[in-house]
Amino acid sequence: MKIANVEAFWLRCPVPKEKQHTSDYGLLANFDMTLVVITTEDGLQGFGEAKAAVGSSGVCASIVNCIENELKPALLGKEVKDITRLWEEMYNGTRDHYALSRGRKFPILGRRGLTMSAMSGIDTALWDLKGKMLNVPVMDLLGGACRDQMPAYASGGWADATNIGAQLNGYVAKGFGGVKMRVGVMDQTVQNSIDRVKAARAALGPDIKLMADAHGTFSVPEAKQFCRGVEDCNLYWFEEPISPDNKRGTAEVRASTHIPIAAGESEYTSFDIQALLEIRAIDVIQPDAAIIGGISETVRVAHLASVHQLELAPHCWGSAFSFMAGLNVAFASPSATIIEFSLGGNPMMYELVKEHITVTDGLIQAPTAPGLGVTPDWDFVRDYKQKV
């Protein structure tokens, strides 16, 4: 099947006041995403997500423009099945013929940032289409399931030290055996972050997996102080301790503690992940399919995780489309053992699509529906589409 059209829609949906939360990103009152739609000559459609930010809110106008005015012209009339070739053509631009003939990259200048996010949405939509064409889940195209079900961890945790235990135990009451909380500059001091984690562990008991995510906001000394302060809390991992721009600093933090260090959601392409691995900076790799280069590049990162004997834990804080992209890769990877499940106010996860993604007793089942297995509610799209 050939590509007949490529469209991108910036969606912005208000988060109900009772579900809003405040973090280092401020009060998150809206949820944004870029919905990518690829239509074939036969009318079949595939869907993907491109992100302007790893959090909930971000202006997506530039991504829409990139997709519809820069990338779309090079895709029209091309075969959907040639996903790897199309990825290389987008990444290398007018020098793609050199790249494919020489067997190495000749990338465009915009090989990072919003251009890569735009490519991510397109790539994921192509995989969704190919799965639908062959009537199998994307997971099967990647080699099939490594397990029949996978534990999910509840991602949230913004309450203060007095209330964090109750908030996280609310997640546990829903069946989750693992929970993640936020720490970092939102707490004003490192000691406040330490106190919140200690309160969380005391309330949860010893058997619930507990992760802490600093959103890259500590300095290296602060991250080390935090690790020392919570070393008896048995953290499953400490996520993005410092700025992703300071990879050697992340390695320094990792070398100072026995707590596993997780990162990757802010990285573009497997080259950035490889740079982290070369300096032994991380234990848990967290690619975001809507940022890193789509399902294609997430799979390449999964192979790196396997080769380096590290854990793969895709970043799945986004819409149902990026969640299902990460989920399909995770089930097809031997290195993934747990999946992130958003419990914040997230209309893009629950209201954007017709299907209902469920976790039962803390477990999520391997995908069975063709492609990504989720489809947009077009009434929702029409209601929340932004002018670009």
Coordinates of all heavy atoms in Angstrom, one line a residue, residues 157-193:
G157 N 2.5 10.5 42.3 CA 3.3 10.7 43.5 C 3.8 12.1 43.6 O 5.0 12.4 43.6
W158 N 2.9 13.1 43.8 CA 3.3 14.5 44.0 C 3.0 15.1 45.4 O 3.4 16.2 45.7 CB 2.6 15.4 43.0 CG 2.8 15.0 41.5 CD1 3.9 15.4 40.7 CD2 2.0 14.2 40.7 NE1 3.7 14.9 39.5 CE2 2.6 14.1 39.4 CE3 0.8 13.5 40.9 CZ2 2.1 13.4 38.4 CZ3 0.3 12.7 39.9 CH2 0.9 12.7 38.6
A159 N 2.4 14.3 46.2 CA 1.9 14.8 47.5 C 3.1 15.1 48.5 O 4.2 14.6 48.3 CB 1.0 13.8 48.2
D160 N 2.9 15.9 49.5 CA 3.9 16.2 50.5 C 4.2 15.0 51.4 O 3.5 14.0 51.3 CB 3.6 17.5 51.2 CG 2.2 17.4 52.0 OD1 1.8 16.2 52.3 OD2 1.7 18.4 52.4
A161 N 5.1 15.2 52.3 CA 5.5 14.1 53.2 C 4.4 13.6 54.0 O 4.3 12.4 54.3 CB 6.7 14.5 54.1
T162 N 3.5 14.5 54.4 CA 2.4 14.0 55.2 C 1.4 13.2 54.5 O 0.8 12.2 55.0 CB 1.6 15.3 55.8 OG1 2.5 16.1 56.5 CG2 0.5 14.9 56.7
N163 N 1.2 13.4 53.2 CA 0.2 12.8 52.4 C 0.7 11.8 51.3 O -0.2 11.1 50.7 CB -0.7 13.9 51.7 CG -1.4 14.8 52.7 OD1 -2.2 14.3 53.5 ND2 -1.0 16.1 52.7
I164 N 2.0 11.7 51.1 CA 2.5 10.9 50.0 C 2.2 9.4 50.3 O 1.9 8.7 49.3 CB 4.0 11.1 49.8 CG1 4.5 10.4 48.6 CG2 4.8 10.6 51.1 CD1 4.0 10.9 47.3
G165 N 2.2 9.0 51.5 CA 1.9 7.6 51.8 C 0.5 7.2 51.4 O 0.2 6.2 50.7
A166 N -0.5 8.1 51.7 CA -1.9 7.8 51.4 C -2.1 7.9 49.9 O -2.8 7.0 49.3 CB -2.8 8.9 52.0
Q167 N -1.4 8.8 49.2 CA -1.5 8.9 47.7 C -1.0 7.6 47.0 O -1.7 7.0 46.2 CB -0.8 10.1 47.2 CG -1.0 10.4 45.7 CD -0.2 11.6 45.2 OE1 1.0 11.8 45.5 NE2 -1.0 12.5 44.6
L168 N 0.2 7.2 47.4 CA 0.8 6.0 46.8 C 0.0 4.7 47.2 O -0.2 3.8 46.4 CB 2.2 5.9 47.2 CG 3.1 7.0 46.7 CD1 4.6 6.8 47.1 CD2 3.1 7.2 45.2
N169 N -0.5 4.7 48.4 CA -1.2 3.5 48.8 C -2.6 3.4 48.1 O -3.2 2.4 47.9 CB -1.5 3.4 50.3 CG -0.3 2.7 51.0 OD1 0.1 1.7 50.6 ND2 0.1 3.2 52.2
G170 N -3.1 4.6 47.6 CA -4.2 4.6 46.8 C -4.0 3.9 45.5 O -4.9 3.2 44.9
Y171 N -2.7 4.0 44.9 CA -2.4 3.3 43.7 C -2.3 1.8 44.0 O -2.8 1.0 43.2 CB -1.0 3.8 43.2 CG -0.9 5.2 42.9 CD1 0.4 5.8 42.9 CD2 -2.0 6.1 42.8 CE1 0.5 7.2 42.6 CE2 -1.9 7.4 42.5 CZ -0.6 8.0 42.4 OH -0.5 9.3 42.2
V172 N -1.7 1.5 45.2 CA -1.5 0.1 45.5 C -2.9 -0.6 45.7 O -3.1 -1.8 45.3 CB -0.7 -0.1 46.8 CG1 -0.7 -1.5 47.3 CG2 0.7 0.4 46.6
A173 N -3.9 0.2 46.2 CA -5.2 -0.4 46.4 C -5.9 -0.7 45.1 O -6.8 -1.5 45.0 CB -6.1 0.7 47.1
K174 N -5.4 -0.2 44.0 CA -5.9 -0.5 42.7 C -5.2 -1.7 42.1 O -5.5 -2.1 40.9 CB -5.7 0.7 41.7 CG -6.6 1.9 42.1 CD -6.4 3.1 41.2 CE -7.2 4.3 41.6 NZ -7.0 5.5 40.7
G175 N -4.3 -2.3 42.8 CA -3.7 -3.5 42.4 C -2.2 -3.4 42.0 O -1.6 -4.4 41.7
F176 N -1.7 -2.2 41.9 CA -0.3 -2.0 41.5 C 0.7 -2.5 42.5 O 0.6 -2.1 43.7 CB 0.0 -0.5 41.1 CG -0.8 -0.1 39.9 CD1 -2.0 0.6 40.0 CD2 -0.3 -0.3 38.7 CE1 -2.7 1.0 38.9 CE2 -1.0 0.2 37.5 CZ -2.2 0.8 37.7
G177 N 1.7 -3.2 42.1 CA 2.8 -3.7 43.0 C 4.0 -2.8 42.9 O 5.0 -3.1 43.6
G178 N 4.0 -1.7 42.1 CA 5.1 -0.8 42.0 C 4.5 0.6 41.8 O 3.5 0.8 41.2
V179 N 5.1 1.6 42.4 CA 4.7 3.0 42.3 C 5.9 3.9 42.1 O 7.0 3.7 42.6 CB 3.9 3.4 43.5 CG1 2.6 2.6 43.7 CG2 4.7 3.3 44.8
K180 N 5.6 5.1 41.4 CA 6.7 6.0 41.2 C 6.2 7.4 41.7 O 5.1 7.8 41.5 CB 7.1 6.1 39.7 CG 8.3 7.0 39.5 CD 8.9 6.8 38.1 CE 8.0 7.4 37.0 NZ 8.6 7.2 35.6
M181 N 7.1 8.1 42.4 CA 6.8 9.4 42.9 C 7.8 10.4 42.4 O 8.9 10.1 41.9 CB 6.9 9.4 44.5 CG 8.3 9.0 45.0 SD 8.3 9.0 46.8 CE 8.1 10.8 47.2
R182 N 7.4 11.7 42.4 CA 8.3 12.8 41.9 C 9.1 13.4 43.1 O 8.5 13.6 44.2 CB 7.5 13.8 41.2 CG 7.3 13.6 39.7 CD 6.6 12.3 39.4 NE 6.6 12.0 38.0 CZ 6.0 10.9 37.4 NH1 5.5 10.0 38.2 NH2 6.0 10.7 36.1
V183 N 10.3 13.8 42.8 CA 11.2 14.5 43.8 C 11.9 15.6 43.0 O 11.7 15.8 41.8 CB 12.2 13.5 44.4 CG1 11.4 12.4 45.3 CG2 13.1 12.8 43.4
G184 N 12.8 16.3 43.7 CA 13.6 17.3 43.0 C 13.3 18.7 43.4 O 12.8 18.9 44.5
V185 N 13.5 19.6 42.5 CA 13.4 21.1 42.9 C 12.0 21.4 43.3 O 11.8 22.4 44.0 CB 13.8 22.0 41.7 CG1 15.3 21.9 41.5 CG2 13.0 21.8 40.5
M186 N 11.0 20.6 42.9 CA 9.6 20.9 43.4 C 9.5 20.9 44.9 O 8.6 21.5 45.5 CB 8.6 19.9 42.8 CG 8.9 18.5 43.1 SD 7.7 17.3 42.5 CE 6.5 17.3 43.9
D187 N 10.5 20.2 45.5 CA 10.5 20.0 47.0 C 11.2 21.2 47.7 O 11.3 21.2 48.9 CB 11.1 18.7 47.4 CG 10.2 17.5 47.0 OD1 8.9 17.7 47.0 OD2 10.7 16.4 46.7
Q188 N 11.8 22.1 47.0 CA 12.6 23.2 47.5 C 14.0 22.8 48.0 O 15.0 23.4 47.8 CB 11.8 24.0 48.6 CG 10.5 24.5 48.1 CD 10.5 25.4 46.9 OE1 11.4 26.2 46.8 NE2 9.6 25.2 45.9
T189 N 14.0 21.7 48.9 CA 15.3 21.3 49.4 C 15.5 19.8 49.2 O 14.5 19.1 49.1 CB 15.4 21.6 50.9 OG1 14.5 20.7 51.6 CG2 15.1 23.0 51.2
V190 N 16.7 19.3 49.2 CA 17.0 17.9 49.0 C 16.4 17.2 50.2 O 15.9 16.1 50.1 CB 18.5 17.7 48.9 CG1 18.8 16.2 48.8 CG2 19.1 18.4 47.7
Q191 N 16.5 17.7 51.4 CA 16.0 17.1 52.6 C 14.5 16.8 52.5 O 14.0 15.8 53.0 CB 16.4 17.9 53.9 CG 16.0 17.1 55.2 CD 16.8 15.9 55.3 OE1 18.0 15.8 55.1 NE2 16.1 14.7 55.6
N192 N 13.8 17.8 51.9 CA 12.3 17.5 51.8 C 12.1 16.4 50.9 O 11.2 15.6 51.1 CB 11.7 18.8 51.2 CG 11.5 19.9 52.3 OD1 11.5 19.6 53.5 ND2 11.3 21.1 51.8
S193 N 12.9 16.2 49.8 CA 12.7 15.0 48.9 C 13.0 13.8 49.7 O 12.3 12.8 49.5 CB 13.6 15.2 47.7 OG 13.2 16.1 46.8

